[in-house]
Amino acid sequence: MPDKSDKVRVRFAPSPTGYLHIGGARTAVYNWLFARKHKGSFILRIEDTDAERSTTDSIEGILDGLKWLGLDWDEGPYFQSANINAHKKAAEHLIETGHAYKCFCTKEDLDMKREAAKTSKQPYKYDRNCRKLSAKEAAENEASGIPCVVRFKVPDREGALVFNDLVYGPIERHYDDIEDFVILRSDGSPLYLLSNAVDDINDGITHVIRGQDGLANTPRQILIYEALGARLPEFAHMPLTLDLKKQKISKRTHGEVVAVQFYREHGFLPWALVNFLVLLGWHTPDDREIFTRDELIAAFSLDGISRANSIFNYRPGDPKFFTDPKALSINARYIKELPVEEIAWQIKDKLKEAGLYDTQYDGAKRQWFLDTLNLLRVRYHTLNDFVTLGRPYFSDEFQIDQKALNKNILKYPEVKDWLPQLAEALSRLPTWGAAETEAAIRGFIDKTGAGSGVIINAVRTVVTGQAVGPGLFECLAAIGKERVTTRLKNMPNLVMA
Ligand code: GLU
């Protein structure tokens, strides 16, 4: 049973009809932070009453996604479908207490009235025809088998229903504008609006923090709360996240880039993604960007949620950024600043999968492994960069970037002769390190009169596969004498191929 004290209880209530997308994940982040901040409970409720659209894959995806992000829940997952009887009971109770009634109007009747309203350019609202039926008349209709729905009896009140949304401020809805809405279909199944409110009541939810698309439901749900004599929760609706064309982000329009799983596969650190998501529509007065878990919990407050829609700055087809550049820059900062042991732990499986993990990285080569990650991580944006761009550090099988090859090797025919000579000079070094390789390469440049830029760029390209990277001599030190000299010696074969 829910705790009836004032302890904060919030929920994330996804409908399992697709993958966990970044909009949903942001809702989960805000609820989780709010719960942690107030030492309350974060409840996970799967709203699976739409049996046709809900899938077990989607449920698993949501649970996996939340776990990966580190958004641990205190209760649940509860499944809305298990509560249908409670929703029906609530509807019966509303009928018994005079807050709801059975409506026998046929679809044809209603369609006709809707059409007539359209023709006379009037807004359509159910005319409350069956609200006037006596209990006896309703019972007779039912006994003779006329199908009916159950409608909520919107109170006959002057003026407007007003509530204070914690993000949008006071919201008004005139009672006159609220139709006597259906809460049970003719087959007896509850409508979502009812199920969602009844579950929130039964789960003892104190703060409903959800997307702005829920705002249209709120006045009617408040009426349900009132009629059931339940304590009203606070409501906080969050602005939407739009793309650069001001379209709502969705799987249909944007594809995988809006799925949490995409970020996992593309080498995001989970907390870096949480950090990016929280900034989509929330900020601190000093616009701080990077937060540890505890810092974020301490800093988070609903006051910081903006009313303006946030922008997911994604440009499809942009070769430089495969997602919002800010997401990448936040991830890059985490990769650069976390303890290197943590990075080592995070990339272990990825390197293993790519066949790049030497078991000695856990033993004799541990220090080399950590030093190499330290060198590389300064320039990387994702964990996957260690596997792709970092490949020449862990394997001899790698491809040389074609542009780098054209620019730094093929353009200078003399390089073909120089690099094997340089390999000779380097192989004579008694000790191997950044200072030693630097001295040897500079000495070689002086002796041969080769352009220093030409040599340095050529060495980098042949040894690391790329035109850019961390300081060359540190790279050579990390890759090791054997590999460096072999790569330089084999250079003519490379050019022939
Ligand atoms: N199941 C709803 C959704 O996924 C949640 C609505 C709510 O949070 O009240 O949009």
Side-chain angles (χ1 to χ4, degrees), residues 428-464:
R428 285 195 298 272
L429 283 177
T431 49
W432 188 260
E436 290 84 348
T437 55
E438 174 162 13
I441 291 176
R442 299 226 183 267
F444 180 82
I445 289 168
D446 288 346
K447 206 176 84 189
T448 55
S452 75
V454 174
I455 294 293
I456 287 183
N457 289 337
V459 171
R460 180 190 291 288
T461 302
V462 169
V463 177
T464 73

Side-chain angles (χ1 to χ4, degrees), residues 11 13-15 45 47 192 196 200 208-211 213 221:
R11 72 342 186 242
S15 304
R45 186 172 77 224
E47 300 206 314
Y192 173 71
N196 178 261
D200 280 344
V208 171
I209 304 170
R210 64 184 172 194
D213 38 359
Q221 293 190 314

Side-chain angles (χ1 to χ4, degrees), residues 11-17 21 24 27 31 45-49 62 80 192 196-197 200 208-211 213-214 217-218 221 235 237 248:
R11 72 342 186 242
F12 175 49
S15 304
T17 55
H21 63 83
T27 304
N31 276 285
R45 186 172 77 224
I46 306 288
E47 300 206 314
D48 58 343
T49 36
I62 291 167
Q80 186 159 67
Y192 173 71
N196 178 261
D200 280 344
V208 171
I209 304 170
R210 64 184 172 194
D213 38 359
N217 291 339
T218 312
Q221 293 190 314
F235 289 93
H237 288 87
K248 210 178 141 181

Side-chain angles (χ1 to χ4, degrees), residues 48 243 249 377 475:
D48 58 343
D243 68 7
I249 54 166
R377 66 183 180 151
C475 295

Side-chain angles (χ1 to χ4, degrees), residues 102-115:
K102 292 187 173 153
C103 168
F104 299 88
C105 294
T106 62
K107 184 175 176 305
E108 291 69 30
D109 267 356
L110 297 175
D111 284 349
M112 236 164 60
K113 288 177 185 170
R114 203 172 284 119
E115 270 309 304

